[in-house]
Amino acid sequence: MAVHEKITIAKAINASLRASMEADPKVLVMGEDVGKLGGVFRVTDGLQKDFGDERVIDTPLAESGIVGTAIGLALRGYRPVVEIQFDGFVFPAYDQIVTQLAKMHARALGKVKVPVVIRIPYAGGIGAVEHHSESPEALFAHVAGLKIVSPSNSSDAYWMLQQAIAGDDPVIYFEPKRRYHDKSRLDTESIPDPLHKARITRPGSDLTLAAYGPMVKVCEDVAKVAAEEGKSVEVVDLRSISPIDFDTVQSSVEKTGRLVVVHEAPVFFGSGAEIAARITERCFYHLEAPVLRVGGFHAPYPPSRLEDEYLPGLDRVLDAVDRALAY
Amino acid sequence: MTVEGTAERKTARDGSKRTTAKKATTKKASPSRARNSAGPDQAEQDELVQLLTPEGIRVEHPDYAIDLTAEELRGLYRDMVLTRRFDAEATTLQRQGELGLWASLLGQEAAQIGSGRALRDDDYVFPTYREHGVAWCRGVDPTNLLGMFRGVNHGGWDPNSNNFHLYTIVIGSQTLHATGYAMGVQKDGADSAVIAYFGDGASSQGDVAESFTFSAVYNAPVVFFCQNNQWAISERTEKQTRVPLYQRARGFGFPGVRVDGNDVLACLAVTKAALERARTGQGPMLIEAFTYRMGAHTTSDDPTRYRPDEETLAWEAKDPILRLRKYLEASGLVDDAYLAAIEEESDVLGKRVRDVVRAMPDPDHLAIFENVYADGHALVDEERAQFAAYQASFADADAAAEGN
Ligand SMILES: Cc1ncc(C[n+]2csc(CCOP(=O)(O)OP(=O)(O)O)c2C)c(N)n1
């Protein structure tokens, strides 16, 4: 692989799994259809061919079983990287993740580690049927003991997964499935940012847009359109949802005085609420406008013919930008 | 066109008067119980209830006799042909961009029509997402099945108008709903039965194991109908189980039977027997219909990556429709004119499906907020109002632009 190559996020994740498996023989890949098929998104394509079915394991169709056995393997010194086929199918495993995986290290007084990484293709925008477009990150972020990240470009996808696998904590790695085939530069040489560090992907001075995963691109497009209208919008790619790098968001908001948080998940009790509350605490005297949130409605993810209405797009985010700037 | 077949169902029902059925099933149930306790597994593994060979030869089975009128036999044929046509039409519509996705039932017509025609009107069905043939038997307008695959709704029919629950995409969930529903039927003192459909892959889910536990413990009148089509997307049944699936039932305390899933007569006979067991208070039963998914898992899948062509070709020889046709022709029950009439009927169905799908409107934007709660919710009302105002602002802008 070239050092600076334009590559899709899906291929970057594949390369990342490959690199992790080469670096550490304890790394395993597990999930439904991850072997011959290479996963329904082909993210694990070719791994079983190269690493064998002892390390790339086609599991029975049982998510609780997949995560539960991954916990056991981790207790035995392995580093399982589990694939959940789609966001809506993580819930049979939710019990294992929430009641067991998240708490085991604390319950064992730090004596055991459960370095399980759970990869979940998540969020909408691909015209899928029910249960294939959910954004359940807040449901996991509320649980102490889990770390949650979501890359938005190929380099991050590549590095953040390796960092997650190398770390000793359980990590939920949310993959923005509608960006799987977006190409961006993969830099395999520079030292990557720490896993939980937010990054300013576009500087600006009038307003901060904070987003992660699939919404980063939307926010960058918004910033471009806003620039044409003479507004200077800064975009922060949070990258990590638990923990959140509030320092980076804070210094951005101290500069711009305005914050709009954007995510696909429903706004109500969502990650935007947490960010708004914290930044209001930290930046009360810097804020020129209330922190606004743009996200999904308090309604089930709609059938695909309505998802363009449901998902925050350019117009809805711009609308919030205008409202914030109008204060 | 409406889905016919009520007449056939009525005939079938009248043919199995409760008293005789009760006696018959008690008798039927005992040999399978004896088998279950007798034991050497190999004999059971080889056991496949069959009433019609792949060559279309009628054979008898000691436990599962069935006697159908010519009309009923022709009806099963018609059901299978029309269901296959509907399915083929939907696959084509997906290719043409009219549907976002389609899960084809190709190859599984006998399992679905056989079991579907065994049901009484007051029975209740909990399907997964591929039970288009069962839906047909229930009288659900097939075009209603397409809404969720087109992306205009998440269901598309009233489950209670046909006793056919909504399709369930999360694997295995519905088996518990079926069990709970059956527990309710039992509490009500009703004599209807419930049937839950699922795949061989689903058999690995905790929910399915829990539904077995509950149904056994409460002796719920539920029939578990597993269509073992050999594949769960790219994974063979061997990735889900080391024993034939029907044998699982024994460990939970109820009988299991493996039926030739490409033999519509056997599927009908075995399902009828299982339903009667349930109705007469003898509790759940597991049917494993041994069949094959001839096509891709869904239109998004590429089976060439994991499945050898020879396997698919070998199963083609067991085609459920061809098998019944050979029998009907050999017995002089159908002639060319009849077969031509069915072909014509399927053309009419095909055209109707195409027309209805193409004319299917996108839902109104505000449908997002409909039916989120039964008793309403202030936040939903607020978001609906905000969204409506936001949408209207575009209309206002458009109008202003036109005015300029
Ligand atoms: C809980 C859950 N996990 C994963 C999936 C994705 N998925 C959809 S169908 C399928 C295979 C199902 O196989 P099987 O139960 O044998 O039924 P079949 O499709 O073969 O009829 C999988 C893994 C899902 N829908 N639900």
Side-chain angles (χ1 to χ4, degrees), chain B residues 48-50 52 54 258-264 266-267 289-290 323:
Chain B
L48 190 68
V49 176
Q50 195 175 67
L52 200 57
R258 180 180 270 184
V259 58
D260 184 337
N262 286 22
D263 172 354
V264 69
C267 289
F290 204 72
R323 177 183 310 203

Side-chain angles (χ1 to χ4, degrees), chain A residues 275-298:
Chain A
I275 297 167
R278 298 262 175 181
I279 291 303
T280 304
E281 267 178 44
R282 288 182 177 218
C283 306
F284 192 66
Y285 294 108
H286 292 277
L287 283 168
E288 310 276 349
V291 180
L292 300 182
R293 295 167 289 161
V294 187
F297 304 114
H298 189 62

Side-chain angles (χ1 to χ4, degrees), chain A residues 32-33 40 61-63 66 84-86 88-92 130-132, chain B residues 103-104 108 128-131 168-173 198-205 226-235 237 240 293 297-298:
Chain A
E32 294 156 12
D33 305 291
V40 291
L61 208 179
E63 288 76 10
I66 295 170
I84 298 292
Q85 203 155 72
F86 276 94
F89 308 145
V90 72
F91 296 105
E130 219 186 350
H131 311 299
H132 289 69
Chain B
S104 166
Q108 300 179 218
T128 88
Y129 44 78
R130 205 192 289 284
E131 270 67 73
T168 303
I169 289 178
V170 179
I171 298 293
S173 300
F198 59 100
D200 48 310
S203 71
S204 296
Q205 285 287 349
C226 175
Q227 287 173 85
N228 177 357
N229 64 12
Q230 314 297 320
W231 292 92
I233 309 189
S234 72
E235 298 190 17
T237 311
Q240 318 291 341
R293 184 193 87 207
H297 170 68
T298 66

Side-chain angles (χ1 to χ4, degrees), chain A residues 165-184:
Chain A
I165 295 169
D168 281 334
D169 285 310
V171 179
I172 311 217
Y173 181 89
F174 278 112
E175 301 174 2
K177 67 171 91 85
R178 74 161 129 153
R179 306 287 179 223
Y180 267 148
H181 303 298
D182 288 6
K183 279 190 179 175
S184 53

Side-chain angles (χ1 to χ4, degrees), chain A residues 294-327:
Chain A
V294 187
F297 304 114
H298 189 62
Y301 193 90
S304 61
R305 298 264 168 162
L306 288 178
E307 69 180 342
D308 284 348
E309 319 279 343
Y310 177 93
L311 291 171
L314 198 71
D315 285 334
R316 268 174 65 202
V317 181
L318 274 171
D319 191 56
V321 167
D322 289 347
R323 276 190 288 132
L325 286 169
Y327 275 91

Side-chain angles (χ1 to χ4, degrees), chain A residues 25-26 67 83 99 103 270 308:
Chain A
K26 294 290 188 188
V67 173
E83 174 174 302
T99 68
K103 297 182 163 79
D308 284 348

